[in-house]
Amino acid sequence: MEAILFEEFGGPEVLRHTTDAAVPVPGPGEVRLRVVAAGVNPMDWKVRRGFLEEFFPTTFPAVPGIEVAGTVDAVGEGVTGLAVGDEVFGWSTTGAYAQYALAGGNLLPKPAGLSWEAAVGLPVAGETAARVLEQLGVREGETLFLHGAAGIVGTIAVQLAVAAGVTVVGSASVSNHAYLRELGAIPVEYGDGLADRVRAAAPRGVDAVFDAAGHGVLPVAIALLGGEGVADKARIVTIASVDAAEHGIVYSLPEQDAERVRGWLSAQAEGVVAGTLRLRHAETFPLKEAARAQELSESGHAQGKLTLAP
């Protein structure tokens, strides 16, 4: 089958396109998918560079990618609720950058009105947005500062928070400010003076901070909540700042309760179909151009979800 492999850590150049990779065979509790779309997200290039070995150890040769959407092609022993031909989306256990991929119980049915690109854009970003907002405990009437609000995770988090009656101040490049206003957020620009711009946008103060972008923002987050002496650091959560522990900040990791995740993503998928939740798709690349897609992802300049089509 066609697949992307890498056999060492490094830059995009370590990704190798092949047409003779072995087709995976589903074991007990697994299904095989004929991949229609594979998601490209920052986690992929961080794994490729070896940055996440502490959390997600890599066995070489490895197929990148965890987000997958496709059609069930084969069913392993003991699988219930799924049959050949079902259209699903979720997480791959063998790597999604391939024509075929295996998955366990982390799959959801794809609603008929949900595009493949939208389906594969939900697993990581949708789970992350819902999880962090829950960890922060933001409530109606509060104000949230979301750093990196125009990204894939930020896009979903802004809309979920606004729908819950939360005022969202979101940082982004100026080119994304109109987009954030459309989502219901108050945009502010990145860079020096960020804390002052957030305070001007939220004169009554900020109740919680969601760091989805990193780049040294945690001292700003602490200052916005009152400084080291009085900040409630439980109301600051990051998914992007590797120095979180140095600041006493929670670095959020994926939710382990599969049923809770399924509930979050099912609701979000229904929202996309109904038009109440907006996703932003940037570009679909052929599988053989996975290195170029990851390069764009790593640059931070992709305006929306990047996907691969095997």
Side-chain angles (χ1 to χ4, degrees):
M1 68 172 182
E2 184 183 12
I4 299 296
L5 300 172
F6 68 110
E7 300 176 276
E8 61 180 320
F9 297 124
E13 69 280 356
V14 303
L15 297 178
R16 177 172 64 87
H17 176 256
T18 180
T19 57
D20 60 0
V23 177
V25 177
E30 294 182 319
V31 299
R32 182 172 67 212
L33 304 183
R34 175 63 173 88
V35 180
V36 177
V40 177
N41 64 71
M43 183 178 174
D44 298 350
W45 63 259
K46 291 175 183 178
V47 168
R48 186 200 72 225
R49 288 196 177 273
F51 294 166
L52 299 181
E53 279 301 282
E54 179 181 352
F55 307 109
F56 306 103
T58 304
T59 300
F60 295 121
V63 176
I66 57 172
E67 293 177 300
V68 66
T71 303
V72 175
D73 173 75
V75 178
E77 181 183 352
V79 172
T80 59
L82 289 173
V84 172
D86 287 351
E87 296 184 345
V88 295
F89 70 99
W91 286 264
S92 167
T93 56
T94 55
Y97 291 23
Q99 280 184 296
Y100 295 92
L102 299 186
N106 292 327
L107 292 174
L108 294 89
K110 185 184 80 66
L114 189 69
S115 71
W116 291 108
E117 292 82 8
V120 84
L122 282 174
V124 170
E127 183 275 335
T128 302
R131 166 179 27 104
V132 174
L133 291 176
E134 186 169 288
Q135 287 178 312
L136 288 170
V138 286
R139 300 177 295 276
E140 183 177 1
E142 290 193 322
T143 297
L144 170 71
F145 170 51
L146 206 167
H147 183 54
I152 306 302
V153 172
T155 285
I156 296 177
V158 165
Q159 294 173 88
L160 296 180
V162 168
V166 176
T167 297
V168 179
V169 177
S171 65
S173 60
V174 173
S175 63
N176 280 312
H177 283 193
Y179 173 66
L180 288 184
R181 291 189 188 96
E182 292 173 6
L183 299 182
I186 302 168
V188 294
E189 189 176 358
Y190 286 128
D192 293 342
L194 176 59
D196 290 337
R197 290 191 290 277
V198 174
R199 291 189 183 104
R204 295 183 182 178
V206 168
D207 299 292
V209 177
F210 182 166
D211 169 29
H215 302 294
V217 79
L218 294 185
V220 172
I222 292 169
L224 287 171
L225 266 63
E228 287 286 354
V230 295
D232 181 358
K233 292 184 179 179
R235 303 217 73 190
I236 304 172
V237 173
T238 182
I239 61 168
S241 295
V242 294
D243 61 343
E246 298 173 20
H247 297 279
I249 302 301
V250 172
Y251 189 102
S252 184
L253 295 174
E255 171 63 49
Q256 298 303 306
D257 186 331
E259 286 306 309
R260 297 185 72 216
V261 174
R262 289 173 66 87
W264 292 338
L265 295 186
S266 292
Q268 291 173 23
E270 291 172 4
V272 174
V273 173
T276 57
L277 183 67
R278 176 176 172 181
L279 298 182
R280 197 182 194 189
H281 182 255
E283 188 173 355
T284 296
F285 293 83
L287 187 61
K288 64 183 179 181
E289 295 183 18
R292 191 160 70 92
Q294 280 202 7
E295 202 169 11
L296 180 56
S297 174
E298 191 169 358
S299 75
H301 298 311
Q303 293 196 335
K305 184 66 180 178
L306 300 171
T307 59
L308 298 173

